[in-house]
Amino acid sequence: MRVSNVALLTLAALASQNLTANTNAAPAASPVSGGTPQASNFVDAVDRSASRPAESISAPETIAHEQFSPPSAVKSRAGLLVAAAGPELSAATKTKANTSGDELTKSLQETWLSKLIATGVKSNPQVRDAFAFLSPQSDSAESGYGFNNTINLLNILLILGTIFPPVTIAFFWAIRRIVVRQLVADANKRLHGIGVLESELTNSSQLTQKLRDELEAQLSAAKQSIDFLSRETEISKSSVEQIETLKSQFLMHLQVLLTEVYEKKSQIVQEISQVPAVVAKESVKVAPQPSQTAPASDGGNLIADDYIKQGEGLYFEGNYDGAAVCFEKAILMNNNLGEAWYWRGNVLIKLQRHEEALACYDQAILIKPDHCEAWYNKANLLAKLQKYEDAIDSYERASSSESRKYACWHSIAALLGKLQHYEEAIASYDRALAIKASDSEIWHNRGAMLGKVQQHAAAVDSYDRAVALNPKRYETWYNRGNMLWRLLRYSDAIDSYDRALGIRADKYEVWYNKGAVLGKMQRYQDAIAAYDKAIAIKPEDFELWHNRGAAFEKLSQHEAAIASYESAIALNSECYEAWFGKGESLTKMQRYQEAIGAYEKAIALKPDSYDAWHHCGTALSQLNRYIEAMAAYDRAIAIKPENAEAWRDRGAIVSELKQDTEGFVAGEKDTQNQPQSDESSEN
């Protein structure tokens, strides 16, 4: 009972303290009158801090209308603005404050303390009377009920904890136990998750190792499969070669059988035609003996060498079918005769059966690896089939024979030239010349290879050796003239071209190059004559017409030049040079409008042509089309900004435009001043 009294007294003291605090916290009412307020401590505090400038916390708001202006303020003696009256809260503001209080009250009423108090008040009238006595009375009792009851309950719990320490310790021990139990449960849960992760990681490692083992096994199996396929490919290739050989042998057997059948048929027909025996006997006596080179009908007395000899004879007579039969019979009698295979290959080349001929040469080389003739003929056939690399290898094998070395190196050099291995080709020609230096063709071909590598002087020396051995070959004189042209020896080049034309005057390329060299020598009239000769031989060459027009232009014969350019354009409308040349000739004839059209055609074909844009700008400026001319000069400068000519011409146009502008302005001023002078004279 004593403890209850102490608790009630303590609660009453706390309630009185809360009531006093609430009463002191209520603000005093502001004066309503508009007079100057009484001096107070608040005003003095403001006066003491008046020397420090006010800091702006946020940006000032824009005042949209007078109705949003603050109430009028009265300036005090200290120079500070003090509000004349406290601002009244608007209805919206009051509503907002009440709404905020309601939300706070609602939140507090949701707590377990508020719910505990409400339950106690409803169930026990004594508790309700005690809380009614302890709680302060206010106008807004509904809004402050939950908040004050919660504070009171907290105060009660604090008092109980102070009075009964064991209860407090037991409470916190229970709380601690609950927290520890929860922490242990969370830790166990996480440890369980870590165990699951470890298990999954172990399973993943095992799965990865298993997949790795399977992949290695598959790779090993794939490697074995590839090796097996490689072996099978080699076996298949060998089988195909054997099949081809058997096919060739079968065809030979078939050919021989057909030949024997035809011979037997002829013999039977001949016997049937001999009806009387006497006549038959006489016919046998007078019958012509078979040719020595023809194959015998009865092959029982002939050996393989005899068939080879008969086949060689038929081959040189041009009877390739009969020769093929003889060589096939020899092969059937003895398959290891390399000569029979070699000669059969020669016959098959004549019969245009190239693949079978290669097989025959391979068989001959297999029987006799140092068969140089077989290697050489095989190389010739490979070169004919454009298998240059294989042909070079075969020529090198054939070059082991002294009788074939020269021809082999000559052929190797020619094939290296086709493969664009010019340095190696020159070395091969040198090896051929070391064997036979009197061959003009080798000197000629060597000069051509030297020209490919830009060794023009050495090429001229090689051509000189060639014409010394054979002066009747026009190609050598022509090529020699081209090399002299590259060396800028124009007169010697003209002499060389004349020697070529003395042998073949119908070669337009010689006339063409002669005309070009004459143009370099500024002998334009002679150049035109050379171009006319070339055009008479090949009038469809547009380049000839263009070069002829350029020569006429150099002679200032612009009409003839234009006609020649138009002939070139008629043959090839996309010839930029012809359009540009035509534009130049038209400009020189002061036919600027037509020249602009020609330049525009040239620009359409070659938009990045500096010369076309520059000359087009010049023609436009001649027609006083300055803006277009400046645009053309700008395009030319963009292509070649380092060229001063376009800059100079553009500057001249700018100066011209400036003078015209100043003259126009001066004329305007004169026009404006003229009426004023008239008026002044009248006054």
Side-chain angles (χ1 to χ4, degrees), residues 62-203:
T62 303
I63 299 176
H65 198 268
E66 292 181 356
Q67 65 180 357
F68 298 104
S69 301
S72 60
V74 180
K75 192 172 184 181
S76 65
R77 295 178 181 179
L80 298 175
L81 291 177
V82 181
E88 295 183 357
L89 296 176
S90 62
T93 306
K94 292 180 180 180
T95 304
K96 184 176 181 181
N98 293 333
T99 303
S100 300
D102 293 341
E103 291 179 357
L104 180 59
T105 302
K106 185 177 181 181
S107 299
L108 291 174
Q109 288 175 356
E110 294 296 328
T111 62
W112 63 276
L113 290 174
S114 299
K115 292 180 179 179
L116 180 60
I117 294 169
T119 304
V121 170
K122 290 179 181 180
S123 62
N124 195 342
Q126 295 178 357
V127 175
R128 183 170 61 250
D129 294 339
F131 273 103
F133 173 76
L134 294 174
S135 300
Q137 299 297 324
S138 62
D139 296 336
S140 58
E142 183 180 357
S143 62
Y145 176 77
F147 182 72
N148 293 328
N149 289 341
T150 302
I151 293 175
N152 293 333
L153 184 58
L154 289 174
N155 292 331
I156 292 169
L157 292 176
L158 179 61
I159 294 170
L160 291 176
T162 305
I163 296 173
F164 301 104
V167 176
T168 305
I169 294 172
F171 174 75
F172 282 108
W173 181 83
I175 295 297
R176 174 184 172 276
R177 185 177 181 182
I178 294 172
V179 172
V180 169
R181 184 181 299 172
Q182 185 66 30
L183 291 175
V184 171
D186 292 341
N188 290 333
K189 185 176 180 181
R190 294 191 180 185
L191 289 174
H192 178 69
I194 292 172
V196 172
L197 289 175
E198 289 179 352
S199 177
E200 291 180 354
L201 182 60
T202 303
N203 294 334

Side-chain angles (χ1 to χ4, degrees), residues 384-403:
K384 186 177 181 180
L385 296 174
Q386 297 184 356
K387 299 179 179 180
Y388 300 132
E389 297 285 352
D390 297 335
I392 291 172
D393 294 337
S394 297
Y395 279 129
E396 289 177 351
R397 297 294 299 271
S399 64
S400 60
S401 173
E402 291 295 332
S403 61

Side-chain angles (χ1 to χ4, degrees), residues 531-532 535 542-552 557-571 578 582:
Y531 287 135
D532 288 339
I535 289 172
F542 70 94
E543 292 183 2
L544 284 170
W545 289 102
H546 168 265
N547 291 2
R548 181 173 177 269
F552 275 118
Q557 300 181 21
H558 302 303
E559 290 289 352
I562 293 171
S564 192
Y565 287 136
E566 289 177 347
S567 297
I569 292 169
L571 293 170
K582 180 181 178 182

Side-chain angles (χ1 to χ4, degrees), residues 5 20 31 195 205 319 342 409 413 423 444 477 534 595 610:
N5 293 332
T20 305
S205 301
N319 187 1
Y342 165 72
W409 286 115
E423 296 288 350
H444 172 88
W477 289 108
Y610 166 84

Side-chain angles (χ1 to χ4, degrees), residues 553 556-559 562 581-599 615 618-625:
E553 185 178 347
S556 299
Q557 300 181 21
H558 302 303
E559 290 289 352
I562 293 171
K582 180 181 178 182
E584 282 190 310
S585 296
L586 290 168
T587 300
K588 292 176 181 178
M589 295 178 67
Q590 298 183 359
R591 295 160 60 179
Y592 300 118
Q593 191 62 44
E594 299 177 58
I596 292 170
Y599 288 135
H615 286 71
T618 302
L620 288 167
S621 65
Q622 293 294 331
L623 295 176
N624 296 331
R625 295 162 62 177

